[in-house]
Amino acid sequence: MNAEWGRRIGLRVVAIVVLGVLWQVTATVMDNPTFIPSPAAVWHRLIQTSSVHDGTRGYSGHLLIEHLGVSLRRILIGSAIGVAGGLIAGVVMGTVGWIRVVAEPVVTFVRALPPLAYFSLFIIWFGIDETPKLWLLSIAALPPVAVATAAAVHNAPTALVEATRALGAKRWQVTRDVVLPHALPEIFTGIRLAVGIAYSSVVAAETINGVPGIGGMVRDAQRYSQTDVVVLGLFAIGLSGLAIDAVLRQAETRLIPWRGRA
């Protein structure tokens, strides 16, 4: 096990080094920092945006960690609302047939919409402060959880459900003790997808009045062709996204130890 783990880490380190070398070579050959900044330029921006330099604090008056923290707070709140709504909708859709028939096309319709499509509507309704951003992230996170939960609940083992009812369990007890434990692995997959979609939507959510915020920082830097800041922001989003997914994987392993077992 330790040898296998060591090999995996070694392969990842080699892959990162190779990608870094290719990046440096490409930046050198292109010789156009606006198109492809070098790793050194992005590193320099990391130092600048993480400290006070020449009387300027970070980027637009906020340190990089502060931009990232604001975005993570938005993602946390939006994902929590979306996941909670998706769980409720999914359980109801999976257990009540006529509601599933009515609600499933609506959920699929919302899932197919690009975030910017309804973000404009939220701005008209709620203005340009935090509310439309949280609405966008919540709506983006809801469909994956609702679809995964509804499918998992609907496909719960019929024999086990009927046996539990035969023993006198009420409907809510069957859902709590049989259906949900069976559905938890698929639900967790939906949650991971939902958080990923919410994270990928943060740049769209912060296109309007998004500073401080990592997506707002990227958007603002794009306006002024500050490619190194854009790349730095993308790295911050991607790496923090990996960290969040790792936390969710760990939680899944601890909360659903029976996943993958017969």
Side-chain angles (χ1 to χ4, degrees), residues 34 49 51-52 56 64 68 73 87 109 122 129 137 144 151 155 169 178 186 188 193 209 241:
T34 302
T49 56
S51 60
V52 178
T56 303
L64 177 64
L68 186 60
R73 178 181 60 80
L87 285 173
F109 175 81
F122 291 156
D129 293 327
L137 297 176
N155 294 325
V178 177
E186 286 73 19
F188 238 95
L193 288 172
N209 195 27

Side-chain angles (χ1 to χ4, degrees), residues 19-183:
L19 288 174
V21 170
L22 290 175
W23 177 11
Q24 179 62 57
V25 170
T26 304
T28 302
V29 172
M30 295 294 296
D31 194 24
N32 185 353
T34 302
F35 189 71
I36 299 182
S38 67
V42 176
W43 177 260
H44 180 65
R45 277 294 187 178
L46 171 63
I47 301 301
Q48 282 189 328
T49 56
S50 301
S51 60
V52 178
H53 59 94
D54 298 329
T56 303
R57 189 172 189 271
Y59 187 90
S60 295
H62 300 275
L63 301 178
L64 177 64
I65 191 66
E66 293 171 343
H67 285 291
L68 186 60
V70 170
S71 293
L72 290 176
R73 178 181 60 80
R74 290 167 177 159
I75 292 166
L76 176 62
I77 297 174
S79 296
I81 296 172
V83 167
L87 285 173
I88 295 172
V91 170
V92 174
M93 288 167 58
T95 54
V96 185
W98 69 268
I99 292 182
R100 180 184 180 91
V101 172
V102 173
E104 192 171 42
V106 177
V107 173
T108 303
F109 175 81
V110 173
R111 186 176 58 171
L113 290 175
L116 280 176
Y118 46 87
F119 187 47
S120 302
L121 187 60
F122 291 156
I123 291 174
I124 295 174
W125 288 348
F126 304 115
I128 61 173
D129 293 327
E130 286 295 289
T131 304
K133 300 179 182 64
L134 296 180
W135 268 101
L136 180 132
L137 297 176
S138 301
I139 297 299
L142 188 148
V145 179
V147 171
T149 303
V153 169
H154 182 69
N155 294 325
T158 305
L160 190 56
V161 170
E162 290 178 351
T164 307
R165 287 177 177 172
L167 292 173
K170 297 180 180 179
R171 186 168 188 170
W172 66 270
Q173 291 174 320
V174 173
T175 300
R176 182 194 64 187
D177 298 332
V178 177
V179 175
L180 285 181
H182 175 268

Side-chain angles (χ1 to χ4, degrees), residues 174-236:
V174 173
T175 300
R176 182 194 64 187
D177 298 332
V178 177
V179 175
L180 285 181
H182 175 268
L184 270 179
E186 286 73 19
I187 291 173
F188 238 95
T189 298
I191 291 174
R192 287 178 58 199
L193 288 172
V195 174
I197 291 172
Y199 213 130
S200 66
S201 302
V202 72
V203 176
E206 294 176 349
T207 52
I208 304 297
N209 195 27
V211 177
I214 197 70
M217 186 187 82
V218 169
R219 181 68 174 175
D220 189 68
Q222 174 262 321
R223 292 194 186 102
Y224 300 104
S225 298
Q226 296 175 317
T227 314
D228 47 2
V229 177
V230 173
V231 172
L232 175 61
L234 295 179
F235 269 113

